[in-house]
Every structure is written in C-alpha cells, then in structure tokens.
Amino acid sequence: MLKETIKNFVGRLFSSPARGPERLPREKHGIDRRNVSRHAIKVCEVLRHEGFDAYIVGGAVRDLIVGLEPKDFDVATNATPNQIRPLFRRARIIGKRFQLVHVVFGQEIIETSTFRANAAGDEDTDEHGRILRDNLFGSQEEDAARRDFTLNALYYDPINEEVIDYHRGVSDLKKRVVRMIGDPEQRYREDPVRMLRALRFAAKLNGTIDPATREPIARLAPLIENVPASRLFDEILKLLTCGHAMDCLRHLQAVGLHQGLLPLIDLIFEEDGGEQFVELALARTDARVRSGKTISPSFLFAALLWKLVNKRWQELCASGEHSAQALMMAADSVVEEQTRKLAIQRRFQADMREIWFMQARFERANAKAIWRMAEQPRFRAAVDFLQLRAEAREVDSVQAQWWMDLANADDATRGEMIEAYQAQNRGRAPAGAGKRRRGPRRRQARPAPSQA
Ligand code: ATP
Ligand code: MG
C-alpha cells in the first residue's frame, strides 16, 4: 500500500514537467504544413475562432516530425464534446465513458477529443493496477502527462506552426528513443497494452526503447492476459501492419510478450519452414504498408497460422480423413485455440477459412469448379496466398502463376485458359500441380491432392 503510494507520488513527480512546456518553432520541429490534413487544420481553426485551444496531437505529430505519412489526424482541445459538435456540419459524439467527437469530411474523420486527466485513486484500477476508468476532462498539461510516451505527447498548432512539448518528446523522437512518461512500471500496470505499443514504436521508428522503459516489460508480460481479447486484437493488428512486422514479432518473442498473445508463434517457428513462411508473409505485408496499400487482416492471420493448419491437415489426411474435411477440421482447431487469447473477429475468421479452403481446391479443380472458384469474393486473396506458398516452395510456382494469371485475366481470356488447361490435363490440376516438388531441406509438408 505504502509502496503504491510512493510509486504514485514518484510517477506524478516524473510526469509533471520540470518547467513549463517547450514551444518549438518550425525550424526546430521541421513539420511542413503542406503534409498536414487540411481538415485537421480546419477543425483547429474553427475551434480557435470560437476561443478554444486546439492542437493536432499524438501519432500524426510524431510521424510528421520524422517524415512518415500519418495514418490519421487527431485533434485535442479544451472544448467539451457538447461545445465541439455544433460547430461542424457533420459531427457526432461517440463513446460512452469518455466522449469524443468525430468530425466528418467526406472520407476523412478527424477525431477530436477534450483534454483529459488521468483518473487518480485506487478505486479506479483492478488488483494489478490496470485503469478501469479514465474519463475526467483536464488541462493540456494533464492531457500530456496521461499519454504513453514522450514522443506521443506532442501538440502541433497548425496556425502558428509551433509544437508544444511538455516531456522533451521532440528530442527523444530525434534520437528515436521510446521513453515512457512517468514511472514505467506503474504505467504498464495501468494499461499493459503500453508494452506492445513500446515495441511497436521502437520497430516503426527503427529506434530503441529507453532502458528504464524497457526493463519492466519482460517482468510484467503476464499482465497482458488481463486485457480484453478484442483490444489485444486491435493492438496486434497495428503491430503487424506498422510496416516492420517481423521486427515486432522478434521483439515480442525476445521479451516473452507473445506468450499471452500469439502463443502459437513459438509453435510456428518450431515448424519446419514455419519461420520462413511467416517471414515471407510479413515481408509482403510490410512492403504493401510502406507503399501505402491496404492490407487484409484475414490474409495476414491466415498466413500466420497456416503452418499449423497445414501440419494438422497433413496429420488428419494421413490418418485417413477426407482431404477437404481434414482441412476444415484442422482450421477449426487452430482458430479455436488461437482465439482464446486473441479475439479474431468472426468476419475475419470466415475469410481466413475461405482462403485456406481454396488451397485444397487449387489442387484438384475441374473446369466447372475453376469458374465457380474464380467468382468467389476471396478468390484473389486465395491466389495471393497460393503465391506465397509457392515462394515458400510449398507448391509449384508454375501452378501458382497459372492461377495468378487467371485471376488477372478477363472472362474471355479465362475461358481460353481453362479450355487449354482442360485439353492438356484431363482431370489433373493445372500446369504441373501434380508434380512432387522437393524443398531445399526435405520434402515439405504439402497439401495432398492424391488423398482427396
Ligand atoms: P498510430 O500511428 O498507430 O495511430 P498513435 O500514437 O496515433 O499511433 P493511437 O492509438 O492512435 O496511436 O493513439 C493516439 C494517441 O493517444 C497516442 O499518440 C498517445 O498519445 C495516446 N495513447 C494511445 N494509447 C494510449 C495508451 N494506451 N496509453 C496512453 N496514451 C495512449
Ligand atoms: Mg493514431
């Protein structure tokens, strides 16, 4: 009890800035206003015109300073949701406990929230110190102190182009050091997700975690189990789509954080070729993210879990199960096990299954089935997945390419391709799929069309 009180005190001591905030002019932060969302600027201007303070905050400021393109723009203000909403034509208040306003401009939503203070007092935390309620409006200084890392607690004023920095975040950001605001252990206990965030920002920025911020993570890793599964899913997804997914997974493993999240990661890496498969999949994802393309969570999780599904599929086939049936059973058991820790949403699960199930069908399709498959909404993803497997030398690359060409072709060309294929391989899979292919080390587990 006394220990907690001292910790709280020390935490607050740390989190209150030694002197007032630094106000950095443009030369010091280097943000080019042309890279800032005009809608976010608009929100700030309107609020400012009404006499409120308003700043762009969080990830957008961090990313702009290091020259990355922000995913989205958030605004923080001293206006309350009820004061914000009437100022915009399309704005809605969202959230129950802590309300904030979504200001909508066509496709873009500017999330606008009121400065917030941390809820103090023991009654607001669970027995591990996890904050269950934090819904008090506060000052800008309090708002800065309740943010996680110094580099995430920056406020950009787009009107006079100043950055307001309470915790020397710009300096940390330039050094690429992820440093917790306040006492790291206490802040991880309040919200264990911050452990994941620390790893993610370090990977994303190609930086490091400050030693004091890093130290408690391995020790507190089990606390991640108390976080609701749906929130974990969101964070893991952010981690896997930050453009440095493999680095993140390695960091996760190094500190033992994966145990409570993706317990199957260990198994996957133990699997023959498992690590290579995940690496290939994540490299593709990273490349897509970095070139600004969208990525599909279903594809990502289908790839992460594939080696396990494939292994069980083979085992079930070997025990005499019908191939398609075996694949379904394998998929069910892997998904069921995995989602105990991490809630993969049902719609994603359904897509993952479709991607997997089509892998069996690629092996033994006749003309009619090929047409049917090509019409399925997940066909494209499943063909991409087949490409990935070819890259991992799990299936023949000529076969994978045939399907890719089919996916890219118009209907007339498809017709020709399917006809040619039929003429060539009566009853066999397209272009060499039936050939056994040997992997570099030993024969890879491969789907077993012959057992169908
Ligand atoms: P991303 O680029 O992934 O969006 P982000 O930093 O913007 O990164 P968000 O989850 O969008 O992350 O959060 C916006 C801001 O809210 C953060 O920059 C940080 O200041 C604050 N924040 C988010 N999550 C936490 C948390 N768990 N604890 C404390 N502050 C947080
Ligand atoms: Mg953000």
Side-chain angles (χ1 to χ4, degrees), residues 296-303 306 327 348-362 376 378-386 389:
S296 124
S298 333
F299 187 91
L300 196 54
F301 282 97
W306 170 248
L327 180 52
F348 293 143
Q349 288 185 28
D351 289 350
M352 285 160 63
R353 285 196 167 83
E354 265 184 64
I355 291 171
W356 288 335
F357 296 163
M358 249 188 270
Q359 304 307 309
R361 278 177 260 154
F362 286 132
Q376 298 208 1
R378 293 287 130 224
F379 179 63
R380 179 77 219 194
V383 169
D384 278 342
F385 199 82
L386 187 68
R389 293 174 61 213

Side-chain angles (χ1 to χ4, degrees), residues 58-59 62 71 147-148 152 191 194 197 200 238:
R62 176 195 68 222
K71 276 199 320 226
R147 291 179 185 271
D148 45 10
N152 276 344
D191 181 6
R194 289 173 184 149
R197 293 174 59 86
R200 170 157 64 94
K238 283 190 181 182

